[in-house]
Amino acid sequence: MMIENPLQPAQHSVGRLISNVAARAQQVLGKKLEPHGVTPQQWVVLVVLWWQDEISVSDLAIHLRTEKPAVSRLVDRMEKAGLVTKTPSETDRRSIILSATEKAKEKKQLRMIYEEINAVLLAGFSDEEIEQLFSLLRRVQRNADQHVQQN
């Protein structure tokens, strides 16, 4: 297959399409969170803390599939913003435990904002199409996970 304009990304690149959709979804999320003074990255951390009271920075990094130094920088900014508190673990002094502050707990209504994002992104889709889309994307994710684990 010959590409007419080599500067344009391949139209049938799954990675490119998923990346573009994810970027737009982040923009939609950012606009919805902006009035609440929370960034999309902070929201993801807060969702974890709204569902469980505490988590270590190391476990959070694993959960977010992100390197620990990047999570540490994000958490430092969140602490300065008054959204999280950091305390040393009682069982492992090298480990830092995060918890949501009262300021963050007051924003707990935002934990389900992904439903609003889904409504925007999936407008015009039937219930059957939505279920099929999620099923196909889960298969794509499993394939990618398997490939990464094997190599």
Side-chain angles (χ1 to χ4, degrees):
M1 181 162 112
M2 186 70 157
I3 298 175
E4 288 183 22
N5 183 348
L7 297 178
Q8 284 188 336
Q11 289 181 337
H12 296 289
S13 169
V14 173
R16 182 76 166 161
L17 183 57
I18 289 172
S19 179
N20 287 342
V21 170
R24 282 293 191 215
Q26 284 289 97
Q27 289 175 332
V28 172
L29 177 60
K31 285 182 183 261
K32 290 202 174 280
L33 290 173
E34 192 173 7
H36 304 281
V38 176
T39 68
Q41 295 80 12
Q42 292 170 339
W43 175 78
V44 172
V45 172
L46 291 175
V47 168
V48 172
L49 292 173
W50 291 327
W51 288 105
Q52 61 185 64
D53 292 333
E54 300 179 331
I55 190 167
S56 71
V57 173
S58 298
D59 287 346
L60 182 62
I62 291 167
H63 179 76
L64 299 179
R65 296 180 179 197
T66 306
E67 297 296 321
K68 189 177 172 190
V71 172
S72 293
R73 288 189 299 273
L74 173 60
V75 166
D76 287 346
R77 289 190 302 273
M78 291 179 73
E79 183 182 38
K80 286 178 185 160
L83 296 170
V84 298
T85 57
K86 299 187 308 188
T87 56
S89 168
E90 293 179 7
T91 57
D92 180 359
R93 291 290 174 194
R94 297 170 297 167
S95 184
I96 301 295
I97 304 298
L98 302 177
S99 56
T101 63
E102 284 305 312
K103 178 179 177 179
K105 289 176 184 175
E106 291 170 3
K107 299 176 186 296
K108 194 171 183 175
Q109 80 280 4
L110 297 174
R111 75 177 167 185
M112 302 302 278
I113 204 166
Y114 72 89
E115 291 177 346
E116 292 178 39
I117 308 306
N118 283 356
V120 170
L121 299 176
L122 300 172
F125 283 73
S126 69
D127 289 344
E128 183 179 286
E129 288 172 323
I130 291 169
E131 191 54 45
Q132 184 179 22
L133 176 63
F134 276 99
S135 176
L136 293 171
L137 287 172
R138 282 190 288 271
R139 282 177 53 195
V140 169
Q141 183 177 15
R142 277 193 306 271
N143 289 345
D145 288 345
Q146 287 174 353
H147 181 77
V148 168
Q149 290 171 359
Q150 292 171 357
N151 294 313

